[in-house]
Amino acid sequence: MATKIILDVDTGSDDAIAIMAAVLSPDIEVEAICTTWGNQCVDFTTDNTLRLLDAMGVKIPVYKGCDTAMTKYLTHDYIEAIPFAPVMHNGKPVIMHSEHLDLPEAKSMAQDMPAACFYVDYLRRTKEKITLVPVGPLTNLGLALRIAPDIAENIEQIVIMGGGSKEANLTPCAEANIWHDPEAAEIVVQSGAKIVWVPLDATHKACVTLDDCERFRSLDNFAGNFAAKQCEQRIIVHNARQPLEIPDAAAVHDALCIAYLIDESVLTDLRHCHVEIGLSGYGEGQTIIDQRAEVIAEERNSYFAFDADRFKFVDILCDCFKNCQVKQASGHN
Ligand code: BDR
Ligand code: CA
């Protein structure tokens, strides 16, 4: 039976690849997509999500979410993120997440209900538990759990793209999704729901190379071509800013959460441990992992992935993308 999920995205190049994989996998049923701020403001991430769904010809309800963190920016007492200048490549600027995905304008529209309200409404009414897959800042879910903590009972698991043990990307200590809204992340971690972390330690291992992009492209359909293009841009940016162990490769963070739901063995070192979120000072937004089993055996609140199988990851993505019947996004030249 397919796993029912609600995605929460800040689309975003890797969010887009995650959405395509989820929509095209026979093992996953996407009930709804919530949007959040992060890679861009929520107007753009919502528009990008709608563009992508329209380009694929699929109808999934989209709920627009929050446009800033729950509390973080109410004070000025936070660590500044590293400012990113565009990377120049062949005389042109290349960025990881453009304001608008290079797709025809969206015809479909988001639902009226705000994302946090949708979570409360859906999770209170559902007869079966559902898996949540937040791959942006956790603001919508944090807010929903604050309003209605009882909704945690109907959550099967929360598979979070975020955090890092030995890796960080926005400050010396923090990964972007968690740094953007640490208080929301803390609420989610304390919710009592089963939490699976897909952090940078795993996503940097499950990287996509230029050869993998050729594999995507050889599928000769919209999903393969679009994924190849996004990954190639990501590789340029990674090479300039954060080269990975494998040369000419990029992480496609958010899609690893979807791959995990299709085949759990793609995460090769998943440990049950205790995770705390840094809420202030230099460690703001840090995922602090306490693995002292003998000390905190009763208190383990998370499964945290330390490694991943990149070959399996790319095979899973190809298996999803090959199901795409659309040759080219409609309206595209
Ligand atoms: C995460 O931050 C965003 O920029 C990406 O979409 C991903 O979810 C990686 O740190
Ligand atoms: Ca994201």
Side-chain angles (χ1 to χ4, degrees):
M1 210 172 67
T3 303
K4 274 193 186 185
I5 68 167
I6 298 171
L7 267 166
D8 200 315
V9 294
D10 57 334
T11 320
S13 55
D14 57 332
D15 305 75
I17 295 170
I19 293 170
M20 290 198 299
V23 165
L24 292 167
S25 169
D27 298 323
I28 291 180
E29 193 180 331
V30 184
E31 279 283 281
I33 302 182
C34 296
T35 61
T36 188
W37 68 298
N39 289 323
Q40 292 288 339
C41 68
V42 76
D43 282 345
F44 292 165
T45 62
T46 306
D47 176 62
N48 283 335
T49 304
L50 294 168
R51 283 182 188 219
L52 181 65
L53 295 177
D54 285 359
M56 297 177 75
V58 290
K59 298 227 173 303
I60 293 169
V62 171
Y63 295 86
K64 184 171 159 182
C66 297
D67 203 15
T68 190
M70 288 181 69
T71 62
K72 180 177 179 119
Y73 300 105
L74 298 176
T75 72
H76 295 282
D77 185 23
Y78 51 85
I79 301 287
E80 292 291 344
I82 299 161
F84 289 139
V87 171
M88 296 305 286
H89 182 73
N90 295 337
K92 289 192 184 145
V94 181
I95 51 172
M96 203 71 123
H97 309 282
S98 49
E99 285 183 356
H100 298 290
L101 290 179
D102 182 22
L103 292 170
E105 278 181 26
K107 291 201 170 61
S108 59
M109 285 166 57
Q111 308 291 310
D112 282 339
M113 192 183 282
C117 301
F118 165 72
Y119 275 129
V120 175
D121 184 61
Y122 184 97
L123 289 165
R124 280 196 167 161
R125 281 198 291 135
T126 186
K127 298 273 181 288
E128 48 178 340
K129 290 187 175 193
I130 189 161
T131 293
L132 307 184
V133 189
V135 296
L138 289 151
T139 316
N140 295 327
L141 193 52
L143 189 55
L145 284 161
R146 201 43 135 198
I147 302 166
D150 56 284
I151 60 176
E153 285 163 25
N154 278 337
I155 298 173
E156 181 71 37
Q157 59 177 333
I158 308 175
V159 181
I160 301 172
M161 192 285 123
S165 169
K166 295 202 176 87
E167 304 275 355
N169 62 7
L170 213 61
T171 71
C173 298
E175 179 279 332
N177 290 341
I178 306 308
W179 181 84
H180 279 309
D181 199 342
E183 288 77 16
E186 177 68 6
I187 293 169
V188 171
V189 167
Q190 287 188 6
S191 67
K194 176 183 172 188
I195 311 277
V196 178
W197 290 92
V198 181
L200 296 177
D201 307 73
T203 64
H204 284 187
K205 291 293 182 60
C207 56
V208 169
T209 64
L210 288 171
D211 286 347
D212 297 329
C213 293
E214 281 318 307
R215 254 183 94 186
F216 294 157
R217 204 164 262 123
S218 71
L219 298 171
D220 192 26
N221 59 22
F222 167 73
N225 288 328
F226 191 69
K229 197 172 158 194
Q230 300 304 314
C231 289
E232 282 162 356
Q233 289 189 355
R234 296 182 64 84
I235 290 171
I236 292 168
V237 178
H238 260 289
N239 280 348
R241 273 207 212 124
Q242 198 174 27
L244 301 177
E245 248 170 63
I246 308 284
D248 286 328
V252 189
H253 313 280
D254 299 348
L256 188 57
C257 294
I258 303 301
Y260 168 72
L261 292 172
I262 294 168
D263 180 349
E264 290 188 3
S265 67
V266 74
L267 298 180
T268 50
D269 188 5
L270 194 62
R271 297 183 215 160
H272 196 194
C273 46
H274 184 79
V275 176
E276 294 275 343
I277 309 293
L279 294 174
S280 63
Y282 203 63
E284 178 176 349
Q286 183 176 6
T287 41
I288 301 155
I289 322 295
D290 190 342
Q291 295 189 70
R292 296 170 301 162
E294 68 288 354
V295 181
I296 44 86
E298 304 301 309
E299 291 177 21
R300 293 177 204 164
N301 58 11
S302 294
Y303 293 84
F304 198 92
F306 288 84
D307 205 348
D309 180 336
R310 75 182 173 97
F311 300 106
K312 203 170 264 182
F313 178 51
V314 173
D315 284 348
I316 293 170
L317 290 181
C318 285
D319 277 349
C320 296
F321 298 157
K322 75 172 191 297
N323 298 327
C324 180
Q325 303 293 323
V326 176
K327 279 276 175 202
Q328 204 173 34
S330 65
H332 228 226
N333 300 318

